[in-house]
Amino acid sequence: MTLKIVIAVDASPHAQLALKVARAHYPDAHRQLVTVIDERTLPVRDGVMVLLEAMMAEARHRLGEQALTGELCSVMSGGAAETLLKAAEQFGADVLVMGTHGRSGMNRWFGGSVAETVLRHAELPVLVVREADLAEPTQILSKENDWANVTP
């Protein structure tokens, strides 16, 4: 059985690391890269709020540049956690891979944690990759704790 993996991707370093880890540990999986644009947090450029359609087009372009042959790409709008879980369900994913800032204390309390929300509500295994000083993504999983071979 070939696993189906959904990978949360944005321009952040922790999401880029999660993408590398997913590719390294699930090389034969069917992968869907998902970027979520949260309408509530649209940026302002030159004093004007950027339109959702413009943000989604920009995200599609970035995903297309990052995707490898055979990887599917989706850009969706909505709340990050809810939309990632919806994407995983629609794709029939066996695993959801995502990065996290690894915030704690007041930063997490004020900013919330998408990864924590996903973990609380997910009905599938979630691999959360935390930014670290690693030479290679393969260092994240040890031989004693090799999740690459776990099937849901």
Side-chain angles (χ1 to χ4, degrees):
M1 174 180 112
T2 302
L3 291 177
K4 295 174 96 177
I5 310 295
V6 166
I7 308 158
V9 179
D10 60 26
S12 67
H14 59 277
Q16 296 305 307
L17 181 60
L19 179 58
K20 289 178 185 175
V21 168
R23 287 173 174 162
H25 289 287
Y26 302 105
D28 298 323
H30 294 292
R31 293 184 294 269
Q32 180 176 13
L33 284 54
V34 177
T35 295
V36 177
I37 307 295
D38 189 338
E39 298 174 42
R40 299 168 296 184
T41 60
L42 289 175
V44 175
R45 292 185 187 149
D46 298 324
V48 179
M49 185 177 288
V50 177
L51 295 176
L52 176 62
E53 293 80 19
M55 289 298 297
M56 292 183 78
E58 187 176 313
R60 277 189 208 93
H61 177 74
R62 279 196 319 264
L63 271 182
E65 289 179 336
Q66 295 178 52
L68 300 178
T69 302
E71 290 179 335
L72 302 174
C73 298
S74 295
V75 176
M76 304 171 80
S77 66
E82 300 82 11
T83 304
L84 286 171
L85 290 170
K86 181 179 177 182
E89 182 181 344
Q90 289 175 345
F91 188 58
D94 299 301
V95 179
L96 172 62
V97 181
M98 63 187 304
T100 184
H101 289 285
R103 291 185 184 121
S104 61
M106 294 302 281
N107 284 334
R108 189 178 89 198
W109 190 73
F110 280 115
S113 171
V114 173
E116 185 177 0
T117 303
V118 167
L119 287 169
R120 286 181 190 220
H121 298 284
E123 295 182 9
L124 73 161
V126 179
L127 173 59
V128 179
V129 179
R130 183 169 179 233
E131 244 182 303
D133 294 322
L134 299 173
E136 293 293 323
T138 55
Q139 291 178 334
I140 289 178
L141 301 176
S142 67
K143 293 184 187 226
E144 301 88 274
N145 191 18
D146 186 359
W147 292 96
N149 297 315
V150 173
T151 55

